[in-house]
Amino acid sequence: GLMRDGIVELRGRSEASIALGALGPKMRRLAAELADAVLLNWLTPAAAAEATAEQRASAVDAGRPAGDGRVVSYVRTITDEAARAALEVEAHRYEQVPAYAANFARLGTGALDATISTAAKLADYLAGGTADEIVLRAITPSSSLAELERFAETAARWVDEEAATAAALRVQDSRASSEVTALMEEVR
């Protein structure tokens, strides 16, 4: 097909890495077979995790080493409620595009379900297995430099909070594991 031929043509002309934007399963399989990375778009965290697992399996099925090929998820994000109207306009616009509408129908979701507007939602995307990398598409009320700077600062704070929470959970898990081990020793 056209995309397959294009990737082959690019491989012959350049040593650059090739990432293929893939909305549905056929394009994701093609990316797993031929591209260095796949760019996922408009997926919920659960759908992104499922697509990533499928991507890994498809790469192995295509004869590539396990873990070969990067999975990147592009997620529209607001960090300021004043940007919600802009997010809703963009989501609605994509829901009117036939290919995207079919994707949302296949997933049983709407476009807004595949966006980030809170630290908790970002944490869902950062959870293991959703992708190798998350690209946050900044949506602000007017895209001013000041708004974009605030977006970056807030998103960075959310990531730092998630990292701190994950570290605390690892400590708690480690303590619980130690307590279980100690109890088992007492039972013996």
Side-chain angles (χ1 to χ4, degrees):
L2 185 60
M3 291 305 295
R4 178 180 297 280
D5 294 345
I7 293 171
V8 170
E9 178 75 17
L10 285 171
R11 287 263 184 246
R13 293 178 179 235
S14 174
E15 294 180 19
S17 294
I18 297 172
L20 181 62
L23 191 60
K26 290 179 187 174
M27 288 297 276
R28 291 195 303 261
R29 281 192 297 277
L30 180 62
E33 182 182 337
L34 297 176
D36 300 303
V38 62
L39 179 64
L40 305 175
N41 190 13
W42 288 113
L43 294 177
T44 63
E50 186 176 317
T52 296
E54 289 172 5
Q55 194 69 16
R56 306 271 188 247
S58 294
V60 170
D61 290 347
R64 297 178 77 169
D68 194 25
R70 201 158 171 70
V71 179
V72 179
S73 191
Y74 180 92
V75 187
R76 283 146 188 88
T77 305
I78 62 171
T79 61
D80 177 353
E81 276 302 309
R84 181 156 304 279
L87 176 65
E88 289 173 354
V89 166
E90 185 160 334
H92 178 73
R93 185 175 63 242
Y94 273 89
E95 288 176 333
Q96 305 313 303
V97 176
Y100 288 97
N103 179 62
F104 298 131
R106 180 174 47 245
L107 296 172
T109 64
L112 285 174
D113 298 322
T115 64
I116 295 171
S117 58
T118 64
K121 190 72 182 261
L122 177 58
D124 291 343
Y125 278 95
L126 294 174
T130 58
D132 297 314
E133 182 176 340
I134 309 295
V135 175
L136 302 181
R137 160 52 164 85
I139 297 178
T140 66
S142 69
S143 296
S144 72
L145 180 57
E147 289 171 354
L148 292 168
E149 287 173 341
R150 277 193 306 277
F151 174 93
E153 291 165 358
T154 301
R157 188 177 71 247
W158 288 356
V159 169
D160 290 345
E161 290 169 1
E162 171 58 20
T165 300
L169 290 175
R170 281 193 300 275
V171 168
Q172 288 175 347
D173 187 44
S174 174
R175 288 182 185 149
S177 178
S178 296
E179 290 172 11
V180 169
T181 302
L183 285 172
M184 292 180 73
E185 291 296 322
E186 286 179 27
V187 170
R188 290 186 199 158

